[in-house]
Amino acid sequence: MRIVCLVKNNQPLGATIRRDDVTGEIYIARVIHGGLADRSGLLHAGDRLVEVNGQPVFGLEPEQIIQILAHSHGTIMFKVVPITDRPVNNQTMLYVRAMVDYSPQADPSIPCADAGMAFRKCDILEIVDQSDSLWWQAVKLPSTSACAGLIPSTSLLKRKQKEFWWSQPYHPHTCVKSLSTVDEEDDMIAIDEKCVEADEEAFESEELKDEASEFSTNIEGIYLTGFRRSLRLCRRRRGQAFGTSQFCSLRCPASCYSSLSNPYEDVVRYQHHPEHTHRLIALIGPSGVGVNELRRKLIEINPKVYQGPVPHTTRPPKCHEEAGREYHFVSREQFDSMVCNHRFIEFGELRGHLYGISVDAVKDVLTSGKICVIDIEPYALESVRTPELRAYVIFIKPPTVEQMKRTRMNSNIITNYYTSRPFRDEDFLEIEDAGRKMEQHYCQFFDHVIVNDGLQAACVQLLTAVRRAQDEPQWVPTSWIRPTDQS
Ligand SMILES: Nc1ncnc2c1ncn2[C@@H]1O[C@H](COP(=O)(O)OP(=O)(O)OP(=O)(O)O)[C@@H](O)[C@H]1O
């Protein structure tokens, strides 16, 4: 028997208790890492509690003992029978990124809600105790408190996810769905088709105008690639053209679903090594927010450092085009074979021709020693968050509608009619709505967020973030550094 005295000083004891239903004995169920009991080093999980402040606890309900503790102030005296075989905590440090939101207050199954720790998607958690297979103890980083909180283990949270209690796990097919509503998208595409058929000539001349402006983006003899309008427009149509279960199974291998539905992602602190290829910079944002404007501006700042990948297409080259400059021109069979071998980060179809950005085109830029900057849609996240590309994902977030009205007064939006026109109020509402949904569903994959309000300020922020991605340590998936059989 051991007598333990702890001075409470208005802080919780930092331990949970349980009653053995068969014997009626009371035990310390767990000691919270960094809490009062843990810091004392005198109470341990498995100790049998005999008395609290001289009051025998045998046969009491845990809630009654909690009441005794809650009403005790100053020094509390425990009489305990210490556990004989105390488990040794030889656990190595484990860090995870939360991929779901969790609230202990909304979880009826948590042993003690007050000992629980709420977290949000993208929070980095240090797991300090995994001795219980159901309830782990964790500290949120950067840590403001030395005391850990209870969180559900991976297996428990997966079980809870299935029950859809409070977290919102991924639906496997959301990765190919357009974020704008399907009805709106269908309408736009229907009008779009009519427009093309009715005025093919007008389209050709628009396309030529587009090409003319492409050629003017040749800086210091370096051709700025990957900004072709056809490539961008076909992405908007891809949702409809490929939004089928067949497409999904083609684009989303089993790993996609498993990693998206994993509530925690193991992470490590990673410092880019100057001798390795740079990390890929992937910009993501709702259509029209200014992803390409920012990407173009960044590349224009220093085209010897930043570059976009050369896209692939099945369309025949035009007389002024050079293979490997505007596009890699390939046959449909070659393109299909690349699709089947998962060589595309993104691809889509426009006017009977396929367009896509391949992993190899990105690797070409990286191995040339440059920083590759691409824009992606959410479904492509899985293809760029890989050990070979190690994408640093930057979300370009729309400012408020009022701010967009102010800053985009003289700007044009590219429409599905192959033309540009001034922004309308409904465009801003759509961008804001799409941005909110994108952030809600995918924020756990964002390494950085930039609000594109003033263009100059956003550009400076982008430049800083890109430098930070290469120069400063970042949390990245452990599988990028120590590949496992599954990764
Ligand atoms: N911060 C800003 N202030 C003013 N105008 C902006 C700003 N950001 C972008 N724009 C303008 O908004 C328009 C749309 O931007 P951009 O073409 O980059 O959109 P996007 O996000 O790439 O979408 P999409 O690929 O569908 O066109 C462009 O005319 C661009 O110049």
Side-chain angles (χ1 to χ4, degrees):
M1 188 85 68
R2 176 192 286 167
I3 307 288
V4 173
C5 290
L6 297 180
V7 182
K8 212 170 139 211
N9 277 347
N10 292 332
Q11 48 184 321
L13 175 64
T16 60
I17 47 179
R18 67 175 175 84
R19 192 173 77 151
D20 188 314
D21 286 341
V22 179
T23 62
E25 303 281 16
I26 301 291
Y27 291 92
I28 304 281
R30 60 174 60 75
V31 171
I32 303 295
H33 187 93
L36 178 63
D38 183 43
R39 289 199 311 273
S40 76
L42 299 171
L43 288 177
H44 303 101
D47 288 352
R48 180 159 63 85
L49 203 54
V50 181
E51 281 180 18
V52 175
N53 282 345
Q55 193 173 338
V57 294
F58 179 82
L60 293 184
E61 292 294 333
E63 289 72 25
Q64 292 174 291
I65 302 166
I66 287 166
Q67 284 306 314
I68 298 172
L69 289 168
H71 291 115
S72 308
H73 301 284
T75 304
I76 310 178
M77 192 182 71
F78 298 91
K79 203 179 265 185
V80 296
V81 177
I83 183 173
T84 38
D85 292 323
R86 193 161 4 119
V88 184
N89 187 1
N90 53 4
Q91 186 188 314
T92 51
M93 300 255 249
L94 176 67
Y95 298 94
V96 298
R97 187 195 309 264
M99 307 304 269
V100 293
D101 296 336
Y102 173 74
S103 164
Q105 304 303 334
D107 183 357
S109 72
I110 190 163
C112 170
D114 289 339
M117 186 178 72
F119 56 81
R120 316 237 26 200
K121 285 176 183 178
C122 214
D123 282 344
I124 299 292
L125 312 175
E126 181 184 352
I127 310 293
V128 291
D129 190 317
Q130 273 182 298
S131 48
D132 183 336
S133 63
L134 295 180
W135 293 97
W136 292 347
Q137 294 185 31
V139 178
K140 209 183 297 177
L141 299 180
S143 164
T144 46
S145 149
C147 188
L150 283 187
I151 62 167
S153 66
T154 301
S155 58
L156 182 61
L157 197 47
K158 272 189 177 171
R159 215 160 70 203
K160 288 171 186 295
Q161 266 183 305
K162 280 194 198 138
E163 294 162 21
F164 289 99
W165 278 0
W166 57 85
S167 58
Q168 295 185 350
Y170 276 88
H171 190 282
H173 285 208
T174 54
C175 54
V176 289
K177 268 192 196 152
S178 162
L179 284 164
S180 50
T181 68
V182 174
D183 288 350
E184 279 168 8
E185 189 76 7
D186 281 350
D187 283 345
M188 284 170 84
I189 286 167
I191 299 165
D192 184 36
E193 295 287 1
K194 266 188 246 152
C195 178
V196 177
E197 281 169 24
D199 198 0
E200 194 84 356
E201 237 171 70
F203 169 68
E204 286 297 340
S205 63
E206 282 300 333
E207 197 181 37
L208 285 173
K209 258 196 265 167
D210 187 37
E211 279 162 5
S213 71
E214 290 291 340
F215 278 104
S216 67
T217 52
N218 178 340
I219 300 174
E220 298 173 33
I222 300 171
Y223 188 83
L224 263 61
T225 185
F227 290 96
R228 311 283 299 185
R229 189 171 285 197
S230 42
L231 184 73
R232 293 169 67 182
L233 288 172
C234 78
R235 306 168 89 201
R236 299 186 191 170
R237 301 161 60 93
R238 199 209 46 247
Q240 195 204 33
F242 296 94
T244 60
S245 54
Q246 189 194 358
F247 173 67
C248 190
S249 61
L250 196 65
R251 287 289 314 161
C252 304
S255 62
C256 168
Y257 178 50
S258 62
S259 110
L260 291 180
S261 61
N262 233 339
Y264 303 117
E265 177 179 64
D266 286 6
V267 289
V268 288
R269 206 81 170 129
Y270 165 76
Q271 167 80 65
H272 167 73
H273 194 281
E275 279 172 22
H276 293 166
T277 55
H278 290 107
R279 291 185 68 178
L280 167 67
I281 303 295
L283 307 187
I284 186 168
S287 177
V289 73
V291 168
N292 273 287
E293 182 70 42
L294 285 169
R295 193 165 74 93
R296 186 196 296 268
K297 285 232 171 306
L298 179 71
I299 296 173
E300 280 173 358
I301 287 172
N302 195 345
K304 290 192 179 131
V305 173
Y306 307 106
Q307 194 182 315
V310 178
H312 280 68
T313 183
T314 57
R315 128 164 127 54
K318 301 200 169 139
C319 55
H320 55 266
E321 290 177 330
E322 265 179 39
R325 191 179 69 172
E326 287 86 353
Y327 288 104
H328 294 293
F329 297 98
V330 291
S331 67
R332 192 167 258 271
E333 290 69 35
Q334 284 171 310
F335 200 102
D336 285 346
S337 146
M338 288 176 73
V339 170
C340 288
N341 290 311
H342 306 290
R343 295 319 295 163
F344 280 112
I345 290 169
E346 278 195 320
F347 68 95
E349 187 163 8
L350 184 76
R351 302 178 72 234
H353 299 299
L354 292 163
Y355 297 84
I357 299 288
S358 73
V359 174
D360 294 329
V362 168
K363 280 166 68 184
D364 284 347
V365 177
L366 296 173
T367 49
S368 75
K370 292 186 178 181
I371 298 177
C372 186
V373 191
I374 61 169
D375 69 306
I376 57 163
E377 292 200 61
Y379 86 94
L381 280 163
E382 192 73 10
S383 318
V384 296
R385 295 184 81 247
T386 60
E388 59 177 347
L389 303 183
R390 288 169 282 131
Y392 184 83
V393 179
I394 302 178
F395 177 55
I396 307 299
K397 182 176 170 151
T400 63
V401 169
E402 287 312 312
Q403 282 164 315
M404 275 191 275
K405 278 186 197 167
R406 263 200 311 276
T407 49
R408 272 74 167 171
M409 232 155 23
N410 302 315
S411 302
N412 282 345
I413 184 168
I414 296 177
T415 68
N416 276 3
Y417 298 87
Y418 306 102
T419 54
S420 304
R421 59 156 174 78
F423 276 99
R424 296 179 189 143
D425 287 359
E426 58 264 33
D427 297 324
F428 297 134
L429 289 170
E430 214 171 277
I431 292 171
E432 189 193 48
D433 186 49
R436 192 166 20 83
K437 286 179 181 155
M438 206 177 259
E439 192 169 23
Q440 195 180 329
H441 287 284
Y442 301 101
C443 64
Q444 64 275 36
F445 299 110
F446 302 162
D447 293 292
H448 192 72
V449 177
I450 292 174
V451 178
N452 184 16
D453 189 6
L455 195 51
Q456 271 316 101
C459 204
V460 171
Q461 286 180 50
L462 178 59
L463 196 59
T464 312
V466 169
R467 285 193 184 135
R468 205 180 298 143
Q470 315 294 342
D471 299 343
E472 291 178 15
Q474 314 285 340
W475 291 108
V476 301
T478 309
S479 58
W480 293 6
I481 311 302
R482 296 182 225 124
T484 59
D485 290 346
Q486 286 84 44
S487 60

